[in-house]
Amino acid sequence: MGLRERTLEAKDIDSEDVFVPQWGETFEVRSMSAKMRARLIKRATVQLPDGKGLETDFEQLYPQIVIATCFDPETGIPVFGPGDHDALSEKNGAALEVLALAGMRLSGMTAKAVPEAKKDSSSTASPASS
């Protein structure tokens, strides 16, 4: 088996259990695929009113990360769905941040990675990248 096959078959989704003290619950937080991460960043990025740049809409970002990365550690089933976005937005911000930051870290969404992903999602793919 060659490098390509080994890479494409690798089980590379990381996970960890994260306890949220405000809710008294433990969640399995998993990393996102590159495709899911790019879509999420695109949805949570807004054009500045003056048209001179982009900014992250954190009202969108944290709930979307929690929806995408939180699973029941006993069943492996996603805890939340897209319909939970508004309800999650009304929950304790510190609790949401605990889960969102874990999902971001596991998904490689560091302070440097988010601006890079925004830049990449706005450019067109070259033939070599497809």
Side-chain angles (χ1 to χ4, degrees), residues 7-33:
T7 302
L8 295 177
E9 290 182 16
K11 304 296 181 212
D12 61 355
I13 300 298
D14 296 324
S15 72
E16 67 182 45
D17 288 348
V18 176
F19 179 73
V20 179
Q22 294 88 342
W23 300 338
E25 298 289 348
T26 298
F27 297 79
E28 178 189 358
V29 179
R30 297 181 190 170
S31 59
M32 291 179 267
S33 69

Side-chain angles (χ1 to χ4, degrees), residues 2 14 19 22 44 48 66 76 90-92 98 106 115 120 124 127 130:
D14 296 324
F19 179 73
Q22 294 88 342
L48 291 173
V66 170
E90 297 298 325
K91 298 303 291 177
N92 181 302
V98 166
L106 288 169
D120 291 346
T124 52
S130 36

Side-chain angles (χ1 to χ4, degrees), residues 11-90:
K11 304 296 181 212
D12 61 355
I13 300 298
D14 296 324
S15 72
E16 67 182 45
D17 288 348
V18 176
F19 179 73
V20 179
Q22 294 88 342
W23 300 338
E25 298 289 348
T26 298
F27 297 79
E28 178 189 358
V29 179
R30 297 181 190 170
S31 59
M32 291 179 267
S33 69
K35 184 178 191 177
M36 181 185 298
R37 184 179 94 156
R39 286 180 178 172
L40 188 145
I41 291 170
K42 186 175 183 178
R43 286 192 308 262
T45 303
V46 294
Q47 184 76 40
L48 291 173
D50 62 6
K52 295 182 181 180
L54 302 171
E55 71 179 6
T56 302
D57 179 353
F58 287 98
E59 189 175 333
Q60 292 294 318
L61 183 65
Y62 278 12
Q64 287 182 28
I65 291 170
V66 170
I67 290 166
T69 63
C70 288
F71 294 80
D72 184 319
E74 295 176 12
T75 65
I77 296 172
V79 177
F80 306 108
D84 295 317
H85 183 278
D86 290 343
L88 284 169
S89 294
E90 297 298 325

Side-chain angles (χ1 to χ4, degrees), residues 37 41 45 54-56 58 61 104 108-123:
R37 184 179 94 156
I41 291 170
T45 303
L54 302 171
E55 71 179 6
T56 302
F58 287 98
L61 183 65
M104 290 171 71
M109 294 174 69
T110 61
K112 181 179 177 183
V114 173
E116 287 299 313
K118 285 182 195 174
K119 187 169 53 176
D120 291 346
S121 70
S122 65
S123 64

